[in-house]
Amino acid sequence: MRTWREMRRFPLAVQLLLVNQFGVNTGFYLLIPYLATHLGENLGLSAAVVGVVLGVRNLSQQGLFIIGGSASDRLGARGVIIAGCALRTVGFALFALGDSLPVLLAASVLSGFAGALFNPAVRAYVSQESGERKAEAFALFNVFATAGALVGPLLGSALLLVDFRTSALTAAAIFAVLTVAQALVLPAREVAPSKGTVLGDWREVLGQRAFLAFALAMVGMFTLENQLYLLLPDGARRATGWDGAAGIVFLVGTLANLALQLRITAALKERGNRARWIAVGLGVMAVGFLPPAVVAGVSDGPTALRVLPVLAGTLLLYLGVMVAQPFVMELIPRFGRPELTGTYFGIFYVVSGIAAAVGNAVVGWAMDAGDRGDVAWLPWVCCAGFGLLSAAGVAWLHRLGSLPSEARAVAVAGV
């Protein structure tokens, strides 16, 4: 009930984008987690080709966030959001209708580029429309996104009982409905003509050393969040011997998020500097990987004693995200001019996304090394180290006075 009450306090456009994020994550997660299996088992593609198809999708999204951010600033976030959802409709439909490699690659490029368009544009729109209640808006954004990430795989599992094409077409239909809803409900906002060039905008943002340092410092948050799909489900499966145990990880996190996100953000917003809470959140995320490290590699004893530390770690990880993420999203546009909000979000996701990809490669190496060397705790401790380094980085930037303060935020909002 509190979620709906808080939601109604925002403009209709923000309300739509919150529901939109639920739909985006539902459509995405009902398809993408099962795509590799479809490509390999149903279509008979080699592991190398499957890797290329998936890699092209990821590269098209991560590498082109900067395009979506700049387009949002110069053309208006509304049109970019609509275009992104429309492109993903086409991309997901191609996954359902095409079996040849050229069609699959086209689907990957379109669906990835679509995310590169609407992800920074949506965040820019929410930031601009929510005024001084950015933290609360992004807290709600996190709630709806998390709920969609839970519903999507469940719906995808059910649809796969029919076939993959049904799942892909359903995902495409969800994005088609979102596209129409955005076109009907999102109000158009006049965009002031830019006096400079796109390259000039990029140089201005990239010249903000404090912003780039902050984006790199957030590598821990993105790397650790990604372990919800890699290390934590793997730990739950090893602890229980049951493949379905991975679903428990998402269930624990989603229920915690729905119950606590808004309360945590509301409580912390009035207590202390935002940067401190970001550092604290990263620290909590890091600590979440220590309980599973204690039981990693243990194969005897009651199953409950092996799985409970994994679930406790999952809960701590989600709590850390709930503490840090709304304030991270609130802070990003405060580094520069409001006219470049989309560009800041776009470059932030490019920089932190590349850094997080390197972090994930390190975690993957640690998982393999842990299996080979009978040191199953290694990837867990590695993740804890990433989180603590990120927390220390944000705390250091805060101590140097490099991060925007609340006072500066009010001044920028009044420009």
Side-chain angles (χ1 to χ4, degrees):
M1 290 299 295
R2 178 170 182 171
T3 298
W4 297 113
R5 287 199 304 271
E6 287 293 324
M7 179 180 172
R8 287 197 297 269
R9 295 175 61 189
F10 286 95
L12 180 60
V14 174
Q15 294 181 38
L16 172 64
L17 291 178
L18 294 174
V19 176
N20 178 82
Q21 193 59 30
F22 172 79
V24 164
N25 276 18
T26 298
F28 182 85
Y29 286 107
L30 78 82
L31 174 68
I32 295 300
Y34 309 105
L35 180 57
T37 301
H38 168 67
L39 296 175
E41 295 183 3
N42 297 344
L43 302 185
L45 300 180
S46 67
V49 174
V50 171
V52 169
V53 173
L54 297 179
V56 164
R57 192 211 66 79
N58 190 60
L59 180 63
S60 298
Q61 179 162 319
Q62 296 291 340
L64 297 177
F65 272 130
I66 189 171
I67 303 298
S70 291
S72 173
D73 291 333
R74 289 176 169 267
L75 304 177
R78 177 183 181 272
V80 177
I81 294 169
I82 295 170
C85 277
L87 279 179
R88 183 155 284 180
T89 301
V90 176
F92 280 7
L94 284 177
F95 277 127
L97 303 175
D99 295 341
S100 66
L101 183 58
V103 173
L104 293 172
L105 289 174
S108 292
V109 170
L110 287 175
S111 59
F113 182 50
L117 287 177
F118 65 67
N119 276 334
V122 164
R123 285 157 179 80
Y125 203 115
V126 170
S127 177
Q128 292 162 351
E129 292 290 318
S130 54
E132 287 307 302
R133 302 189 65 235
K134 290 180 176 62
E136 292 91 337
F138 283 115
L140 280 168
F141 196 84
N142 195 23
V143 170
F144 280 87
T146 303
L150 175 67
V151 172
L154 296 176
L155 180 57
S157 298
L159 290 171
L160 283 175
L161 295 176
V162 182
D163 59 22
F164 177 83
R165 296 181 190 280
T166 301
S167 180
L169 288 174
T170 301
I174 290 173
F175 279 96
V177 170
L178 293 175
T179 303
V180 173
Q182 292 156 5
L184 293 175
V185 178
L186 282 183
R189 298 285 186 252
E190 184 178 350
V191 181
S194 178
K195 298 179 180 179
T197 65
V198 172
L199 290 179
D201 293 345
W202 295 356
R203 282 195 295 267
E204 179 178 337
V205 176
L206 292 172
Q208 280 268 16
R209 294 183 179 180
F211 169 71
L212 294 181
F214 178 70
L216 288 172
M218 296 312 299
V219 62
M221 187 175 82
F222 286 91
T223 300
L224 300 193
E225 276 189 291
N226 283 341
Q227 302 320 307
L228 290 169
Y229 311 103
L230 179 61
L231 189 55
L232 283 163
D234 182 70
R237 285 190 292 266
R238 290 173 184 255
T240 62
W242 174 45
D243 287 342
I248 301 176
V249 169
F250 294 104
L251 181 62
V252 166
T254 301
L255 293 177
N257 188 279
L258 292 173
L260 300 175
Q261 175 70 84
L262 294 178
R263 291 180 172 85
I264 288 173
T265 302
L268 298 183
K269 184 179 179 181
E270 307 302 328
R271 293 175 173 85
N273 187 280
R274 309 285 206 276
R276 291 178 181 173
W277 290 124
I278 293 172
V280 168
L282 290 166
V284 172
M285 292 173 70
V287 171
F289 287 85
L290 297 181
V294 174
V295 298
V298 176
S299 57
D300 55 356
T303 299
L305 293 181
R306 298 197 304 271
V307 75
L308 284 177
V310 177
L311 297 181
T314 299
L315 182 58
L316 285 171
L317 176 60
Y318 269 96
L319 286 172
V321 172
M322 284 187 270
V323 170
Q325 194 172 69
F327 298 130
V328 171
M329 296 294 103
E330 180 188 41
L331 193 62
I332 290 170
R334 292 178 173 174
F335 279 94
R337 296 185 288 126
E339 296 85 358
L340 295 181
T341 294
T343 303
Y344 271 95
F345 274 113
I347 292 180
F348 175 81
Y349 277 107
V350 170
V351 173
S352 55
I354 293 172
V358 175
N360 285 332
V362 173
V363 174
W365 169 85
M367 291 176 70
D368 291 337
D371 289 337
R372 290 194 305 266
D374 196 26
V375 282
W377 48 264
L378 182 61
W380 302 97
V381 173
C382 182
C383 286
F386 271 122
L388 292 175
L389 283 173
S390 285
V394 173
W396 180 64
L397 289 172
H398 172 58
R399 181 172 296 181
L400 291 177
S402 299
L403 302 181
S405 65
E406 281 75 20
R408 180 185 170 186
V410 172
V412 170
V415 173

